[in-house]
Amino acid sequence: MTSINELELPRSVKDKLINASLDTVEDLMLYVPPGTLDKMGHRFKRHRGPNRLMNLSADEIAAAYDRAAEYVFQSKVAYGTALDLLHEEAWLSTGDPVLDQALGGTGIMTRGITEIAGESAVGKTQICLQLCLMTQLPKECGGLDGSVVWLSTEGKFPYSRLESLLGHFVERFEGIVPNLNQDDIRSNIYFDSMADQETQLHIFNYQLPNLIQDSHLLPEEQNLGSDERIERSKKKPVKLVIIDSITNNFRSELTAPSDFGSGRSGFRSSLLQRSADICEIGLRLRTLADEYGLAVVCVNQVSDVFNPPSVSSYGSSSRGRLGDRKKPALGLVWENTINTRIMLQRTRVPERDDGLAIESEPQRSMSVMFSPCSRAASDVAREDTHEEGYCAYRIDEKGVIGIPQDVS
C-alpha cells in the first residue's frame, strides 16, 4: 500500500482524504463516490453509502484522482511489462535436485500459493523445515535471501527436528556462503500459533501484513537507535510464509448440530461462512505473495474417498501414482485459491501370509497434481517419462532427499 502523502497534493487535501479513511493511493483509486453509482444502474445500489469526499471541492477531487492516476502510471503500481516480470521472477529450491526437477526444475514458485498435502507422517513438515533453511540462502544458491514466518494451528514449532537439520545444513553450505551462522538462521524464523479461527483471521488480516511490511523496510527508514539499527541489519525481509496446517481450525470448528434435521439451515450457514473465510484467507495470502514476492506454502490434510479415481485424489497403486483413496481437504473453494498442489504419499508396509509385518522403510513419493511450472503427475504417467511431476524420496537425518528414478 502507498501512503496518500506520496502524492503531490496540498496538505489540506491530504488531511481531508485521511480523515475520510482514504489514506492510501489504492483506497482512493478503488473508491467510487455515490453520485457515480447513480449513473451505473440499479445493480450497484447495494454499495450505496455516505459520500466520503463531501468535504472536498470538485476541483480538489479531480486533482486527487489525477495525481493518484499519475502516480500509479509512473511507478508501475498496477501494471508491468513482460520484461519486468522476468526480472522479478524468483524460485525457492527444496535443497534437493531430484525434488526440484519433479517440481519443474526450479523448486517452489514465488508470488503464489503452494499446497503440500498428504497423510500423517508422510514428510510434510520435514519439507517445510527444509524450505525454512533454504530460504535464507542467497539467490544464487537456490534461496531467497529472506526470513520465514511459520504459522501453526497444530501445536508447537518442531524445534528439535530443526536443530538436527541445522547442523547438517550449515556443514553443507558453510564453504559456499560466508558467515553462515546458526543463531542468525534461528533468529530469522518467526513463529506464531493460531489456536482458533478467530485468532487465525486476525493474524492473516493484521499481524502478518504488518510483520511482512516492517521486515521489508530498510533500517534507515525506521526510527531506530544505532544499536537497534545494527541488530535490525541482521534481520532479513520475509520471503516465505508457512501455514501448518491450513485445515485444522476449519475442521475442528465446523460441527453439525445435534439435531441435524431441524438445524440444517444453521449448518448450511456454517458451511457458507467457512467458504467465505477460506476465500478471505486465500485472497490475503495471494495479495501479500504478489506484493512482496513471497513464497506461500500451506500444509493440507487429506480425507478418504470412495468414489472412482480422479485427478484430485491419489492412492497406493503399483507405482505409487494416482489412485482413488485420498484427496486434500477443504474442497473446491480452496482448490481454486491455490496455484500449485503437491501430494505426498507413503506406501503401506506389506504383510506376510502369517500376518506379521515385514521390517522395511515405508516408500514415499511426491506427485504434482497441478502447477503452472510443472507437468502434472497424471501427464507424466501417461507419457511414461520421469523428468517432471513425480519422484520418490526418503527422509534421514539430513532432511528430505529425492531418489533418482533409475535407483528407485
Side-chain angles (χ1 to χ4, degrees), residues 349-389:
V349 177
E351 294 186 354
R352 296 203 309 241
D353 294 337
D354 56 7
L356 299 176
I358 300 174
E359 294 294 334
S360 62
E361 182 181 353
Q363 297 179 352
R364 294 178 171 90
S365 61
M366 179 179 74
S367 302
V368 178
M369 309 309 292
F370 57 81
S371 171
C373 314
S374 172
R375 290 185 296 171
S378 56
D379 297 332
V380 175
R382 283 194 298 266
E383 297 175 14
D384 195 29
T385 61
H386 312 298
E387 295 180 357
E388 294 182 15

Side-chain angles (χ1 to χ4, degrees), residues 206-248:
Y206 300 102
Q207 293 179 225
L208 181 61
N210 288 336
L211 172 61
I212 294 174
Q213 182 181 25
D214 291 344
S215 72
H216 282 256
L217 293 176
L218 298 175
E220 53 268 21
E221 296 177 331
Q222 303 181 17
N223 188 18
L224 302 175
S226 57
D227 293 339
E228 293 176 316
R229 187 170 296 182
I230 294 175
E231 186 65 25
R232 175 65 182 81
S233 63
K234 298 179 182 179
K235 299 288 186 178
K236 298 182 178 182
V238 173
K239 286 295 183 179
L240 172 65
V241 176
I242 294 175
I243 297 97
D244 184 16
S245 70
I246 193 67
T247 327
N248 194 51

Side-chain angles (χ1 to χ4, degrees), residues 67 78 91 223 269:
R67 297 290 84 76
W91 304 89
N223 188 18
S269 298

Side-chain angles (χ1 to χ4, degrees), residues 98-326:
V98 177
L99 297 179
D100 287 345
Q101 185 63 36
L103 296 173
T106 48
I108 302 296
M109 66 178 296
T110 58
R111 302 184 184 276
I113 302 176
T114 298
E115 176 197 82
I116 300 178
E119 56 191 313
S120 177
V122 76
K124 303 185 297 294
T125 300
Q126 303 283 340
I127 291 181
C128 290
L129 287 172
Q130 198 157 301
L131 293 175
C132 279
L133 301 178
M134 291 298 300
T135 300
Q136 303 188 42
L137 292 178
K139 293 182 178 180
E140 54 268 22
C141 296
L144 298 174
D145 199 17
S147 59
V148 183
V149 176
W150 186 297
L151 301 175
S152 174
T153 63
E154 300 189 352
K156 297 181 180 180
F157 181 79
Y159 183 78
S160 58
R161 179 53 175 159
L162 176 68
E163 286 299 300
S164 65
L165 292 175
L166 192 53
H168 294 287
F169 177 79
V170 173
E171 180 181 354
R172 175 184 175 185
F173 289 100
E174 62 182 351
I176 304 173
V177 181
N179 303 320
L180 192 61
N181 184 278
Q182 293 192 22
D183 288 337
D184 290 343
I185 294 175
R186 296 187 188 99
S187 64
N188 277 292
I189 300 177
Y190 305 96
F191 172 80
D192 204 350
S193 179
M194 303 184 294
D196 51 56
Q197 183 65 2
E198 183 178 356
T199 303
Q200 180 171 284
L201 289 173
H202 180 79
I203 288 177
F204 283 137
N205 287 327
Y206 300 102
Q207 293 179 225
L208 181 61
N210 288 336
L211 172 61
I212 294 174
Q213 182 181 25
D214 291 344
S215 72
H216 282 256
L217 293 176
L218 298 175
E220 53 268 21
E221 296 177 331
Q222 303 181 17
N223 188 18
L224 302 175
S226 57
D227 293 339
E228 293 176 316
R229 187 170 296 182
I230 294 175
E231 186 65 25
R232 175 65 182 81
S233 63
K234 298 179 182 179
K235 299 288 186 178
K236 298 182 178 182
V238 173
K239 286 295 183 179
L240 172 65
V241 176
I242 294 175
I243 297 97
D244 184 16
S245 70
I246 193 67
T247 327
N248 194 51
N249 286 335
F250 288 111
R251 275 185 163 177
S252 61
E253 297 189 20
L254 181 68
T255 56
S258 56
D259 186 359
F260 183 74
S262 61
R264 190 175 301 170
S265 61
F267 186 51
R268 186 183 299 113
S269 298
S270 180
L271 286 172
L272 292 174
Q273 183 59 51
R274 186 183 84 157
S275 297
D277 291 341
I278 290 174
C279 290
E280 180 181 351
I281 290 174
L283 178 61
R284 172 61 68 179
L285 291 174
R286 293 185 70 166
T287 301
L288 292 172
D290 184 65
E291 183 174 356
Y292 294 99
L294 311 178
V296 177
V297 175
C298 297
V299 174
N300 197 358
Q301 301 169 5
V302 293
S303 304
D304 290 314
V305 292
F306 304 96
N307 57 325
S310 67
V311 176
S312 297
S313 62
Y314 73 93
S316 52
S317 61
S318 60
R319 297 182 64 187
R321 296 298 179 92
L322 306 181
D324 59 347
R325 299 194 177 183
K326 304 288 184 181

Side-chain angles (χ1 to χ4, degrees), residues 14 22 32 40 45 48 52 104-105 169 182 257 298 316 343 346 370 375:
K14 294 180 181 178
L22 300 173
V32 181
M40 295 183 178
K45 288 184 178 180
R48 285 183 182 276
R52 293 155 69 179
F169 177 79
Q182 293 192 22
C298 297
S316 52
M343 301 290 294
R346 186 178 64 165
F370 57 81
R375 290 185 296 171

